[in-house]
């Protein structure tokens, strides 16, 4: 919401939110792990500039558009049957009512696990690291976009189609479909741009 300045101290955080030293340290530690803040040289913390505009989430999807379809075409791509079954079960859970009942955290984590599982199957550590980093940073913006859950049924159906294509070794089709899937999500997010604002 922009309540704290871009650069702040532990004391400012403690005073503003009436936290103990241990609570403030726990919050800062989690924010650091997620990539939302970084320690300033010498003193204090600063927010990542990637969190400060509504364009941030859209930019993260454009990065994913460049990386994720390519990951499905890696020569060493191999999607383990157990991973495939786990991903499929998660999508079915949502279609059977989880879209309405799951928390924002659960919805975000399900999407992250799905996409990271496919990228991990590429065996390319550069793709894997890139997607993990962008997913950590976009969590807060992703929560805002979940105020509108209408698009999730379509997401689940698209995820199931991707799994079907990959299960049958149709990686080129899956790569093209992944591009389409991320592109349609990007278009949907531009329609709810107001929800992404602090």
């Amino acid at each position: 919401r922009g309540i704290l300045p871009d650069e702040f101290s532990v004391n400012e955080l403690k005073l503003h939110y009436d936290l103990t030293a241990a609570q403030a340290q726990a919050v800062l530690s989690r924010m650091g792990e997620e990539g939302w803040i970084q320690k300033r040289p010498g003193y204090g913390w600063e927010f990542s500039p990637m969190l400060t505009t509504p364009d941030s989430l859209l930019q993260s999807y454009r990065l994913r558009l460049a990386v994720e379809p390519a990951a499905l075409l890696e020569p060493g791509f191999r999607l383990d049957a157990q991973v495939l079954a786990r991903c499929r079960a998660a999508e079915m859970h949502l279609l059977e009512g989880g879209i309405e009942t799951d928390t924002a955290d659960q919805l975000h984590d399900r999407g992250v696990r799905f996409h990271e599982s496919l990228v991990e199957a590429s065996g390319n550590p550069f793709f894997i690291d890139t997607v993990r980093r962008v997913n950590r940073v976009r969590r807060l913006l992703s929560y805002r976009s979940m105020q509108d859950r209408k698009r999730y049924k379509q997401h689940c159906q698209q995820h199931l189609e991707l799994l079907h294509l990959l299960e049958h070794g149709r990686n080129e089709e899956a790569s093209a479909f992944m591009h389409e899937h991320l592109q349609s999500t990007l278009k949907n997010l531009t329609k709810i741009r107001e929800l992404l604002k602090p």
Side-chain angles (χ1 to χ4, degrees):
R1 294 193 184 120
I3 293 169
L4 290 172
D6 289 343
E7 297 174 2
F8 62 95
S9 69
V10 178
N11 282 336
E12 285 176 291
L13 186 73
K14 281 168 51 182
L15 288 171
H16 186 81
Y17 292 102
D18 194 24
L19 302 174
T20 65
Q23 289 171 323
Q25 202 49 55
V27 168
L28 290 169
S29 177
R30 171 74 191 271
M31 291 167 74
E33 285 169 22
E34 297 289 350
W36 304 339
I37 59 170
Q38 56 197 16
K39 195 129 180 60
R40 298 192 63 222
Y43 177 73
W45 295 83
E46 63 186 356
F47 282 103
S48 164
M50 289 183 278
L51 290 176
T52 56
T53 69
D55 287 331
S56 298
L57 187 60
L58 307 179
Q59 290 165 343
S60 77
Y61 270 87
R62 286 196 290 277
L63 173 68
R64 292 175 62 203
L65 266 168
V67 172
E68 291 188 38
L72 305 184
L73 300 175
E74 279 293 282
F77 187 92
R78 185 181 165 280
L79 186 59
D80 183 80
Q82 286 182 321
V83 172
L84 193 139
R86 188 190 74 226
C87 289
R88 187 171 278 139
E91 300 306 316
M92 294 308 297
H93 160 76
L94 288 185
L95 288 173
E96 290 164 1
I99 291 171
E100 290 80 28
T101 59
D102 281 10
T103 64
D105 215 20
Q106 289 170 317
L107 281 175
H108 175 78
D109 287 343
R110 184 270 326 167
V112 164
R113 277 194 308 273
F114 177 87
H115 285 273
E116 287 185 4
S117 294
L118 298 191
V119 173
E120 285 164 7
S122 75
N124 185 322
F126 296 100
F127 286 158
I128 295 164
D129 184 61
T130 299
V131 169
R132 282 182 184 153
R133 283 173 187 261
V134 78
N135 281 336
R136 279 199 309 270
V137 172
R138 74 186 180 89
R139 181 184 291 269
L140 282 178
L141 291 160
S142 185
Y143 287 170
R144 286 189 205 149
S145 76
M146 285 176 198
Q147 294 172 53
D148 176 3
R149 295 189 179 197
K150 291 185 217 101
R151 59 198 170 92
Y152 276 90
K153 185 175 179 187
Q154 181 189 30
H155 278 204
C156 292
Q157 291 164 340
Q158 290 172 347
H159 284 183
L160 290 169
E161 178 62 19
L162 275 165
L163 293 174
H164 173 77
L165 292 170
L166 292 169
E167 185 177 27
H168 291 89
R170 294 159 60 185
N171 286 50
E172 287 196 18
E173 288 175 69
S175 175
F177 193 79
M178 176 67 84
H179 189 275
E180 228 176 89
H181 168 61
L182 292 171
Q183 188 71 53
S184 78
T185 301
L186 189 55
K187 281 182 192 161
N188 286 336
L189 289 173
T190 59
K191 292 177 192 168
I192 59 166
R193 192 180 173 84
E194 286 304 307
L195 294 180
L196 303 179
K197 290 183 178 175

